[in-house]
Amino acid sequence: MENMTSNKSVLSWINEKVELVKPEKIVWIDGSEEQIEALRAEACSTGEMIKLNQELLPDCYLHRTAVNDVARVEGRTFICAPTKEEAGPTNNWMDPAEAYEMLYAIAKDSYKGRTMYVIPYSMGPVGSKFSKIGIELTDSIYVVLNMVIMTRVGKDVLEALGDSEDWVRGLHCKCEIDEEKRYICQFPQDNTIISVNSGYGGNVLLGKKCFALRIASYQGKNEGWQAEHMLILGLQKPNGEIKYICAAFPSACGKTNLAMLIPPEGYYKNGYRVWCVGDDISWIRKGEDGRLYAINPENGFFGVAPGTNEKSNPNALASTRKGTIFTNVAHNLDNNTVWWEGLDKNPPANAIEWKGNPWNGQESEEKGAHPNSRFTAPAKNCPCISSEFENPNGVPVSAIVFGGRRAKLAPLVYQSRNWNHGVFVGSIMASETTAAASGAVGVVRRDPMAMLPFCGYNMADYWQHWIDIGAGLDPEKAPKIFNVNWFRKDDEGNFMWPGFGDNLRVLDWIIDRCEGKVDADETAIGYVPKAEDINLEGIEDEVSPEQLKELLSVDTALWKDEVAGIEEFYGKFDRLPATLKAELETLKENITK
Ligand code: OXD
Ligand code: MN
């Protein structure tokens, strides 16, 4: 097949990799519907994918990964920076030369008898000043078809690249899907990613976590912008104005649900709407007017299927009804559709579970879908996709929201006193483990800015970068920074806040604060709403005024324990910014007053 570009840096890198992995043939992905359709057909003919009911689920397919290959593998993910110090205390590190040698030994000849697919892709709208280009080499059609949904793929990407050497090199080799030889390696200084022995999305769709967060966070530090693990939503007020919010939450805190929220009935009637710009990743930079602007560099949603239903997230569910690839969900043989736990109360009686075994849908230890089963759905399918989704200039950010799962500690919402305090609030983010995750329940896992597994360099330097970004902003124009906690529990262990659509009530307060429309109470940890400013109309039965007071309360005794936890965590960082040390001292003083 003819080369699709004359870019010398691209061609010489591909030649080098061809020599290494020795494919039988090379296919450049041009982004045309004919080529994609032919690949779908090929994947179905080999059993790699199953074509689903085309009436009920047009252009939808099912794929099963190997049973040992169902999730991201943080323990096998490495930042291969020149020194361990540059990767920092929260990343696995490998010496780049050693890593290349080991990875090349694994990759050697691994494409023999196979096809090399060359995927040119853009993270962000092609040609936008925010956007970055990558090329992924893979021996998996599943990867090609997922990348086609998740990114902008094809010829025009190479045209936009021209002769530039500024692109991210990505090599993926399925090899034997051997867990012991599985490595996801980022080389931030070389703009390079190598992923071997996996076929699972998070490890092999190299545009997503590997590039758009790990490599991009490092690029952002050097180039003066930010790559963040944040959703972007637009909140439309009754007057038609739309304000944008970026929000970071650790896994299993409902990011996709918040990004596609449907307002409570009363709000909806009054004209409130939520528009989804992105559900996972934000690239943020200062615009000409001095405000921060964000784009979603992705083009689709790689969402967790279990728990997605008509009530929890109708917009996500609607997004999966066409052009979607399902991974590791149950296959309903009666009508050739898919099912997962939490979709509805009618598991199929005649099905194949995620591992490929017959399954009768009866309650048992065996699940139909893997808890981390996924849908890969085009963003344009989403009924509430923002009209600004393709805007090459991004959307202006009014508020940044951090959050986590804290049963007792954090109030429903609080606002930081200023940008640096907000950076502190992000840096101490944490979530308590749930029964769904393996290991002990209720253990606090620190996950600063939800970037713990995704920051491509030393986390302390990343915090300093946040502080530097703030220093370059006029405080009047800087987004206001908040923290939310949808997961507070009462003494009986019941959730105190209904969550889902009702979270809009909190977003509404956040935007009112940004616009200086409501007052707040200053507490030891920041500004907390006055109870009367959180609108409970329609949920009075669920949240009593006393309960709301409790939800907004700050228990300084608990915060004393928290400070000890923060000190222990901060103790890992030799390069902890002085600003954060000072913020911690202020918190300590405030809670002992
Ligand atoms: C994801 C994650 O899949 O954060 O988005 O793990
Ligand atoms: Mn994520």
Side-chain angles (χ1 to χ4, degrees):
M1 191 171 178
E2 231 176 278
N3 293 334
M4 239 164 56
T5 177
S6 56
N7 181 311
K8 288 201 180 71
S9 63
V10 171
L11 295 179
S12 72
W13 183 79
I14 293 178
N15 283 340
E16 230 175 71
K17 297 301 166 279
V18 167
E19 284 301 304
L20 175 74
V21 299
K22 303 258 170 35
E24 185 175 291
K25 64 175 189 180
I26 301 171
V27 172
W28 290 73
I29 302 301
D30 61 18
S32 68
E33 188 48 38
E34 305 79 71
Q35 188 188 43
I36 294 162
E37 190 51 36
L39 288 172
R40 290 184 190 121
E42 190 180 333
C44 290
S45 74
T46 61
E48 188 178 349
M49 297 210 307
I50 295 164
K51 192 170 192 166
L52 295 166
N53 184 322
Q54 293 298 293
E55 260 164 47
L56 298 174
L57 296 170
D59 295 323
C60 290
Y61 294 81
L62 168 65
H63 170 80
R64 292 187 202 106
T65 64
V67 174
N68 74 5
D69 188 29
V70 293
R72 287 187 294 101
V73 280
E74 291 176 15
R76 307 199 69 92
T77 300
F78 291 82
I79 300 300
C80 306
T83 63
K84 187 165 167 42
E85 187 65 14
E86 280 161 280
T90 55
N91 280 314
N92 300 314
W93 173 79
M94 228 189 281
D95 172 72
E98 279 172 30
Y100 280 126
E101 194 183 323
M102 179 198 64
L103 294 165
Y104 288 164
I106 294 171
K108 191 171 176 346
D109 298 341
S110 68
Y111 281 36
K112 271 211 168 142
R114 305 174 63 81
T115 301
M116 172 185 278
Y117 299 98
V118 180
I119 315 171
Y121 65 96
S122 174
M123 298 312 293
V126 179
S128 152
K129 63 176 179 287
F130 280 82
S131 300
K132 293 267 181 192
I133 286 171
I135 295 180
E136 176 166 357
L137 308 180
T138 180
D139 54 347
S140 157
I141 296 181
Y142 170 76
V143 167
V144 173
L145 296 174
N146 274 271
M147 286 294 282
V148 162
I149 297 172
M150 292 305 296
T151 73
R152 282 100 171 159
V153 164
K155 257 190 192 141
D156 53 341
V157 173
L158 288 172
E159 273 157 29
L161 181 65
D163 290 330
S164 169
E165 293 183 11
D166 182 13
W167 53 279
V168 170
R169 287 101 176 118
L171 172 65
H172 166 237
C173 308
K174 266 171 64 175
C175 303
E176 277 80 47
I177 314 289
D178 179 349
E179 274 176 290
E180 300 303 318
K181 293 188 188 159
R182 186 169 299 154
Y183 292 98
I184 320 299
C185 292
Q186 283 70 203
F187 301 78
Q189 284 71 13
D190 300 346
N191 268 351
T192 296
I193 304 157
I194 301 180
S195 167
V196 293
N197 274 298
S198 174
Y200 169 77
N203 302 326
V204 299
L205 307 180
L206 301 186
K208 195 174 176 66
K209 305 297 190 181
C210 303
F211 177 174
L213 289 175
R214 298 194 191 101
I215 298 280
S217 60
Y218 180 74
Q219 293 176 325
K221 177 183 82 119
N222 293 329
E223 297 168 9
W225 54 280
Q226 295 172 281
E228 299 297 337
H229 191 198
M230 291 179 175
L231 64 88
I232 312 169
L233 65 82
L235 176 62
Q236 181 174 331
K237 296 271 206 156
N239 66 5
E241 259 194 310
I242 302 177
K243 301 286 168 163
Y244 293 91
I245 297 175
C246 289
F249 301 96
S251 308
C253 290
K255 234 159 91 209
T256 304
N257 293 346
L258 187 67
M260 300 179 187
L261 173 156
I262 294 187
E265 206 181 311
Y267 277 87
Y268 194 90
K269 272 200 196 126
N270 285 338
Y272 279 85
R273 297 288 181 275
V274 167
W275 303 106
C276 174
V277 182
D279 78 327
D280 197 37
I281 300 176
S282 302
W283 284 1
I284 305 171
R285 61 169 71 218
K286 195 164 144 181
E288 273 158 26
D289 62 359
R291 298 188 67 189
L292 287 185
Y293 283 76
I295 66 156
N296 168 13
E298 301 192 280
N299 203 23
F301 308 116
F302 185 62
V304 176
T308 304
N309 60 49
E310 211 33 81
K311 186 161 178 286
S312 67
N313 195 339
N315 285 315
L317 193 61
S319 306
T320 68
R321 300 295 93 177
K322 58 181 186 220
T324 292
I325 300 173
F326 297 93
T327 303
N328 294 340
V329 299
H331 187 194
N332 181 345
L333 296 178
D334 283 338
N335 61 2
N336 192 22
T337 62
V338 289
W339 189 85
W340 50 77
E341 278 68 21
L343 173 64
D344 55 39
K345 295 210 164 67
N346 309 306
N350 176 25
I352 304 281
E353 43 83 285
W354 68 272
K355 285 180 275 189
N357 303 311
W359 187 67
N360 65 10
Q362 293 306 301
E363 272 197 29
S364 74
E365 288 292 292
E366 287 301 321
K367 293 215 182 300
H370 186 275
N372 191 38
S373 55
R374 298 281 174 149
F375 54 80
T376 315
K380 64 174 188 306
N381 282 359
C382 182
C384 66
I385 195 73
S386 163
S387 59
E388 302 303 295
F389 174 69
E390 297 279 359
N391 187 333
N393 300 315
V395 294
V397 183
S398 295
I400 290 174
V401 176
F402 296 120
R405 204 176 258 278
R406 301 305 298 262
K408 292 283 175 203
L409 183 81
L412 178 61
V413 56
Y414 68 99
Q415 182 186 356
S416 68
R417 289 183 297 271
N418 52 46
W419 180 274
N420 283 348
H421 179 227
V423 177
F424 173 74
V425 169
S427 79
I428 64 166
M429 252 174 78
S431 228
E432 284 152 21
T433 49
T434 63
S438 58
V441 176
V443 173
V444 175
R445 185 199 196 229
R446 298 267 155 218
D447 189 354
M449 283 83 171
M451 283 288 276
L452 188 71
F454 306 121
C455 184
Y457 60 107
N458 191 312
M459 183 70 80
D461 297 344
Y462 162 82
W463 290 331
Q464 186 60 51
H465 182 50
W466 264 86
I467 294 164
D468 295 343
I469 290 279
L473 296 173
D474 171 350
E476 289 296 309
K477 294 181 177 173
K480 306 285 178 279
I481 303 181
F482 299 81
N483 190 88
V484 298
N485 176 23
W486 315 132
F487 302 97
R488 190 124 164 196
K489 287 183 174 172
D490 63 18
D491 291 337
E492 278 78 54
N494 306 308
F495 286 116
M496 296 173 73
W497 180 249
F500 297 102
D502 289 309
N503 291 337
L504 183 92
R505 300 169 192 274
V506 174
L507 300 183
D508 195 29
W509 181 82
I510 285 174
I511 293 302
D512 279 349
R513 283 295 291 170
C514 293
E515 295 179 336
K517 286 190 185 152
V518 278
D519 210 353
D521 289 329
E522 185 158 9
T523 72
I525 61 168
Y527 300 108
V528 170
K530 292 183 178 299
E532 62 269 26
D533 291 326
I534 299 288
N535 178 1
L536 297 180
E537 212 179 301
I539 52 167
E540 297 94 337
D541 292 349
E542 286 170 83
V543 185
S544 64
E546 296 75 47
Q547 210 167 317
L548 180 62
K549 266 208 187 102
E550 178 68 27
L551 273 162
L552 297 174
S553 65
V554 177
D555 182 338
T556 46
L558 288 177
W559 277 92
K560 279 183 190 148
D561 293 342
E562 182 69 2
V563 160
I566 298 167
E567 277 181 323
E568 190 189 329
F569 182 60
Y570 271 7
K572 290 188 189 179
F573 299 93
D574 297 339
R575 288 147 77 150
L576 182 73
T579 310
L580 294 187
K581 221 178 261 175
E583 288 292 344
L584 178 57
E585 288 311 313
T586 306
L587 174 62
K588 266 193 204 166
E589 275 165 35
N590 287 352
I591 57 176
T592 45
K593 254 184 217 160

